[in-house]
Amino acid sequence: TASSSSAQATKRFTFLVEGWVVDFLRPTTKLRRPADRKTPFSVPDENRKAAILVNGQYPGPTIDVYENDTVEINVVNRLITEGVSIHWHGLHPFNEPWADGAVGVTQAPIGPGHNFTYRFTAFPAGTHYWHSHMDGMQSARGMRGPFIVRPRPDKEGTEEEGRSGSSDVGAEGAERGGTVAGIKYDEERVLVMADEWRDPAVCLKLEGAMAGNDVCSDIDYASVNGQVAWGDLQHFDAKKYPYPLIDVDPGKCYRMRIIMMASNAENYIVSFFGHNATLVSLDGVDVEPIAVRSVNMHIGERADVIICADQKPGYYPIEMTYDYACTLTKGHFIPPGFHPVSSCNFYAFLHYTGQREILYGPPKSPRGTGGGAHPQSVV
C-alpha cells in the first residue's frame, strides 16, 4: 500500500498475470508445517488446480489508496492463450469510462504477451475489490483481490510508487486506526470470503441436468482470505488444512472489511460468535451505526463492521451460512437436476493473540476453544 495526503497523488502498481499450479484449498497461504505450501508436484492430485494469479498470490494484491488519487495499474498478461481484463468493482470511473474493464463494452481483451495500463480516479471511498472481467472462470481461478479507498486526510502529499504485494490479506491496513460513522477503532482487518473450485471451467458451466443449473454442487468449499473454511459436515485433517484465523489483540477494536468475492455461492450470512458487531458501512457507503447479530453478504457486496476483542481469550467461531444450500445437505430431498452439497455452514475463527495457549489450542471442529468454547450471547 502507499501512504498519502490531502493533495491528490498518483499511485502506480504492476499486476503480473500468470498461470500457476496450486492446492485449491490454500493456493498461496503461508502456514507452518505440515500445513506449509507445497510445490506443484507435491500437491495431492485431487487438490491440484490450474490457477491464474496476480503477482503470484491469492487473493490478489490489495490496492490501498486515498480518494481522488490517480491510480495507474499496468496489467501484464503472461498467460499463453487467454486474454484478460480487470474490473474495479464498486469504483465509479466517471471521467475514465474506458478504464472500467468490461470486455466488449469498454475495451478489447489484453492479449497474451501484451500489457495495458488502467488509469483512473479512485472514487468513491470505501471497501471495494477488483476481479477479472474476461469471463467468470478467471475470477474463480484466482484473479481477484481487495481494493481499499480511504477518505483523504488533511495532510500534504506527494507522488509516489504504489506498493501491493503482501499475500497476508488479513493484515492489510492492520496498523491503521481511525474513526468511521463516529466510532473509533484501533486497527483493520480485511476478510475476503469466497467459494473454491478445483476446476471451475467444469463445475461452473450452467449445463447441468436442468437448464441453468451447475454441473457440480452449488457449493463444496468456502474460504476466508484464500484458505479453506471447513463446513460442519466435512471431514478434514486439521493439521494439514487448519481453519483460517483472524488475529486480534485483546482490548482492541477492529474495523472488519468484509468482501464477498464468491463465484457461485449466492450469499453467506456472517456471524461473529461471542462478539457484538456494529455495522458502519455497506458497499462503500457509511451508514448510521447499527448493532447487528449477523450480516447477509451476497456476491459482490461489502460490509464494514466494528468488532471489539473484549472477551476471554481463545478461538471464537466466525460462521458463514449459505442458507439456500442448507436445503441440499445430506438428509434432505434433492430435487431432480440438483446435487447435494457437502455443508452449508462454514467456519473461520477470531484468534486472540499473545496468549500462553496451554489449556486450549487451534480448533479442530466448528466449536471454539478457550473462551470461544462458551461464547457469550450477543446483544
Side-chain angles (χ1 to χ4, degrees):
T1 58
S3 62
S4 76
S5 62
S6 59
Q8 286 101 356
T10 297
K11 306 297 176 60
R12 299 184 178 92
F13 304 85
T14 298
F15 277 14
L16 301 180
V17 182
E18 299 173 307
W20 287 72
V21 176
V22 300
D23 186 330
F24 84 101
L25 294 178
R26 53 157 196 267
T28 62
T29 306
K30 296 178 181 178
L31 301 171
R32 295 181 180 178
R33 298 182 64 183
D36 54 321
R37 186 178 177 185
K38 308 298 183 184
T39 63
F41 290 106
S42 299
V43 175
D45 289 347
E46 63 274 16
N47 291 359
R48 195 174 296 153
K49 175 178 182 174
I52 298 177
L53 304 183
V54 172
N55 296 357
Q57 62 192 76
Y58 176 74
T62 298
I63 298 296
D64 194 332
V65 298
Y66 284 87
E67 190 173 33
N68 294 324
D69 279 346
T70 297
V71 181
E72 293 183 359
I73 303 174
N74 182 24
V75 177
V76 182
N77 183 2
R78 290 184 174 176
L79 300 178
I80 297 174
T81 61
E82 297 184 50
V84 300
S85 76
I86 295 180
H87 173 65
W88 319 102
H89 191 100
L91 283 86
H92 307 312
F94 293 122
N95 297 322
E96 311 92 354
W98 51 85
D100 196 49
V103 166
V105 179
T106 62
Q107 71 171 91
I110 306 168
H114 292 262
N115 69 292
F116 177 77
T117 298
Y118 291 93
R119 190 175 192 273
F120 56 92
T121 302
F123 177 84
T127 301
H128 311 298
Y129 74 104
W130 58 264
H131 59 84
S132 167
H133 213 287
M134 181 70 189
D135 62 43
M137 300 305 104
Q138 290 186 348
S139 178
R141 290 171 65 187
M143 199 171 165
R144 54 194 178 196
F147 198 129
I148 309 301
V149 181
R150 303 177 183 279
R152 183 167 297 283
D154 294 328
K155 295 180 181 179
E156 183 179 342
T158 59
E159 179 175 316
E160 56 186 303
E161 295 294 312
R163 292 182 289 114
S164 63
S166 171
S167 59
D168 188 4
V169 173
E172 292 288 347
E175 301 302 322
R176 293 180 184 268
T179 302
V180 57
I183 299 178
K184 293 184 178 181
Y185 58 91
D186 300 295
E187 296 184 10
E188 297 183 4
R189 296 291 184 267
V190 175
L191 279 67
V192 172
M193 297 184 173
D195 49 3
E196 301 301 334
W197 306 89
R198 179 181 180 271
D199 193 351
V202 171
C203 280
L204 300 187
K205 296 293 187 182
L206 302 182
E207 301 167 352
M210 292 182 66
N213 277 17
D214 309 317
V215 172
C216 303
S217 299
D218 216 62
I219 189 171
D220 275 325
Y221 299 96
S223 69
V224 173
N225 292 345
Q227 185 179 346
V228 61
W230 292 106
D232 55 353
L233 303 179
Q234 292 176 321
H235 301 284
F236 63 99
D237 186 333
K239 291 184 178 180
K240 291 184 177 180
Y241 295 94
Y243 287 102
L245 302 179
I246 305 300
D247 289 341
V248 294
D249 297 332
K252 289 186 177 181
C253 292
Y254 293 84
R255 178 177 185 167
M256 302 289 184
R257 296 180 180 266
I258 307 170
I259 310 173
M260 175 51 160
M261 290 193 198
S263 300
N264 194 66
E266 297 172 11
N267 70 296
Y268 292 138
I269 300 173
V270 183
S271 304
F272 294 85
F273 284 28
H275 293 75
N276 293 320
T278 301
L279 180 68
V280 294
S281 182
L282 279 173
D283 293 338
V285 179
D286 291 351
V287 299
E288 189 72 23
I290 182 173
V292 295
R293 293 176 180 270
S294 61
V295 182
N296 194 352
M297 304 287 297
H298 289 77
I299 293 178
E301 292 183 334
R302 295 89 63 208
D304 294 21
V305 298
I306 304 297
I307 301 285
C308 292
D310 55 6
Q311 300 297 304
K312 181 180 177 181
Y315 294 79
Y316 288 79
I318 303 172
E319 183 180 71
M320 303 181 296
T321 298
Y322 182 13
D323 50 352
Y324 159 71
C326 291
T327 63
L328 298 174
T329 54
K330 185 178 180 180
H332 289 84
F333 169 71
I334 308 299
F338 289 79
H339 302 277
V341 301
S342 58
S343 283
C344 67
N345 298 307
F346 303 92
Y347 296 87
F349 287 83
L350 279 180
H351 170 225
Y352 280 64
T353 60
Q355 310 300 310
R356 295 185 63 190
E357 299 180 6
I358 299 176
L359 300 180
Y360 67 91
K364 298 180 180 180
S365 75
R367 183 178 179 181
T369 61
H374 303 286
Q376 299 290 324
S377 299
V378 297
V379 178

